[in-house]
């Protein structure tokens, strides 16, 4: 099973840069997109469909032009869950979950922090999401939560990390939250199961920094413990630029079924 996660920074802009042509070549089973910046109705248009895939989207109930997530899947899921039930997640569509037999795959978009107000909004999201995850991990099923987490876990995930310690995405409290997620809560970073080298980033502020590989790893596929041994291979695609983010591709030893 191949799962691709990608932050579009506007699905229409990414489509015009060739994203859909590239996706059609990847033979993915599930594609999780974030920051699509379109509402659910617009996502039903032909220009946003992929041949051979079911498309589901959630733009939230307040500002679909400022967030939104989508899932494309070759196999129709048993159920689709839109939102997390708290405003920091649902106002701008930051969570969409597809349930299959014994596994759920989610597209997640954690808020960014640009100033004190938005950073506090981000912390409220993380606090509420922690409560959701604590309930989730008690369920007898596996989970893949693929998306933009907007937190770099460790120093190896950030170029020039000393200059980033007070910047949103690498603040001590954010890293502590991620450490708890991947520690006491028992979840795992799928990418780090196969590649523990530094210099592997998924976001670059501009083309110059991308060329010099001066980036930060903000995009993850976080998995339950039962999926850890099922990670086969993957990578972060950088050969084409569809947005400031790079697609995260992970192959799992798992076959989707209803």
């Amino acid at each position: 099973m191949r799962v691709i996660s990608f932050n579009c920074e506007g699905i229409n802009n990414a489509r015009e840069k060739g994203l859909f042509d590239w996706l059609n070549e990847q033979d993915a089973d599930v594609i999780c997109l974030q920051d699509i910046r379109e509402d659910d109705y617009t996502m039903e248009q032909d220009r946003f469909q992929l041949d051979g895939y079911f498309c589901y989207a959630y733009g939230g109930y307040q500002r679909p032009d400022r967030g939104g997530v989508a899932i494309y899947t070759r196999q129709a899921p048993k159920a689709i869950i839109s939102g997390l039930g708290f405003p920091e997640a649902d106002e701008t569509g930051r969570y969409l979950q597809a349930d299959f037999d014994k596994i759920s795959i989610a597209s997640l978009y954690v808020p960014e922090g640009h100033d004190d107000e938005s950073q506090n909004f981000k912390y409220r999201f993380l606090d509420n999401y922690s409560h959701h995850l604590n309930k989730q991990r008690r369920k007898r099923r596996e989970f893949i939560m693929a998306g933009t987490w907007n937190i770099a876990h460790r120093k190896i995930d950030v170029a020039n990390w000393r200059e980033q310690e007070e910047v949103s995405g690498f603040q001590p409290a954010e890293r502590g939250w991620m450490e708890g997620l991947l520690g006491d809560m028992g979840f795992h970073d799928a990418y780090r199961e196969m590649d523990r080298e530094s210099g592997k980033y998924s976001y670059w502020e501009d083309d110059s920094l991308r060329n010099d590989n001066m980036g930060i790893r903000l995009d993850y596929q976080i998995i339950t413990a039962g999926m850890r041994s099922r990670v086969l291979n993957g990578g972060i695609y950088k050969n084409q630029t569809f947005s400031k983010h790079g697609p995260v591709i992970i192959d799992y030893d798992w076959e989707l079924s209803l």
Side-chain angles (χ1 to χ4, degrees):
M1 177 180 67
R2 171 166 290 185
V3 178
I4 295 178
S5 177
F6 176 61
N7 186 311
C8 302
E9 295 184 316
I11 190 171
N12 193 52
N13 289 334
R15 183 184 65 86
E16 291 177 350
K17 293 177 181 178
L19 174 64
F20 279 29
D21 293 334
W22 179 78
L23 287 173
N24 276 321
E25 299 172 353
Q26 300 312 304
D27 195 28
D29 295 280
V30 180
I31 300 163
C32 297
L33 301 182
Q34 301 84 44
D35 198 13
I36 59 175
R37 302 179 189 176
E38 301 286 353
D39 59 34
D40 305 0
Y41 176 76
T42 305
M43 285 295 294
E44 295 176 0
Q45 296 178 4
D46 289 345
R47 61 189 169 126
F48 294 130
Q49 303 305 303
L50 278 172
D51 288 342
Y53 289 87
F54 298 92
C55 174
Y56 307 92
Y58 181 53
Y61 59 78
Q62 191 175 88
R63 291 293 304 272
D65 60 323
R66 293 184 58 182
V69 287
I71 294 177
Y72 292 82
T73 174
R74 287 193 185 278
Q75 182 169 299
K78 294 173 66 175
I80 288 287
I81 299 172
S82 300
L84 290 168
F86 54 88
E88 290 83 3
D90 298 350
E91 288 178 353
T92 52
R94 296 184 177 273
Y95 187 86
L96 184 67
Q97 178 179 309
D99 290 346
F100 303 91
D101 183 42
K102 298 181 181 180
I103 191 169
S104 295
I105 301 175
S107 184
L108 172 74
Y109 182 27
V110 174
E112 298 174 280
H114 301 289
D115 51 28
D116 289 344
E117 181 180 359
S118 59
Q119 189 65 30
N120 288 333
F121 182 92
K122 181 178 184 178
Y123 282 131
R124 291 198 303 273
F125 178 99
L126 294 175
D127 185 54
N128 284 317
Y129 191 41
S130 291
H131 295 304
H132 172 81
L133 289 172
N134 277 320
K135 295 176 183 177
Q136 192 179 68
R137 64 178 178 159
R138 293 195 291 267
K139 297 180 179 179
R140 294 184 177 180
R141 61 191 298 106
E142 305 297 345
F143 284 87
I144 300 173
M145 295 160 288
T148 300
W149 293 71
N150 273 318
I151 301 172
H153 181 206
R154 293 179 174 164
K155 295 175 183 178
I156 63 170
D157 298 313
V158 187
N160 291 337
W161 62 266
R162 290 182 179 84
E163 301 174 8
Q164 302 296 322
E165 288 186 293
E166 299 304 318
V167 177
S168 179
F170 198 57
Q171 293 181 2
E174 295 171 310
R175 292 157 57 198
W177 186 91
M178 182 66 78
E179 188 66 30
L181 174 73
L182 301 175
D184 293 342
M185 293 186 74
F187 293 96
H188 298 272
D189 177 354
Y191 183 82
R192 286 305 185 200
E193 291 301 312
M194 59 186 178
D195 188 341
R196 300 184 181 273
E197 294 184 1
S198 62
K200 303 301 176 70
Y201 309 126
S202 69
Y203 175 86
W204 305 264
E205 186 61 36
D206 57 41
D207 289 342
S208 175
L209 293 174
R210 181 187 284 259
N211 291 337
D212 293 337
N213 198 31
M214 301 296 288
I216 182 169
R217 195 168 69 96
L218 299 175
D219 304 271
Y220 299 73
Q221 294 189 26
I222 301 298
I223 56 176
T224 42
M227 294 299 294
R228 190 177 184 185
S229 63
R230 295 180 179 272
V231 177
L232 297 176
N233 53 65
I236 301 172
Y237 182 72
K238 298 188 293 183
N239 292 347
Q240 294 171 263
T241 302
F242 309 119
S243 77
K244 293 179 181 179
H245 295 256
V248 179
I249 309 164
I250 306 289
D251 292 334
Y252 299 91
D253 181 17
W254 188 281
E255 185 175 346
L256 287 180
S257 59
L258 291 176

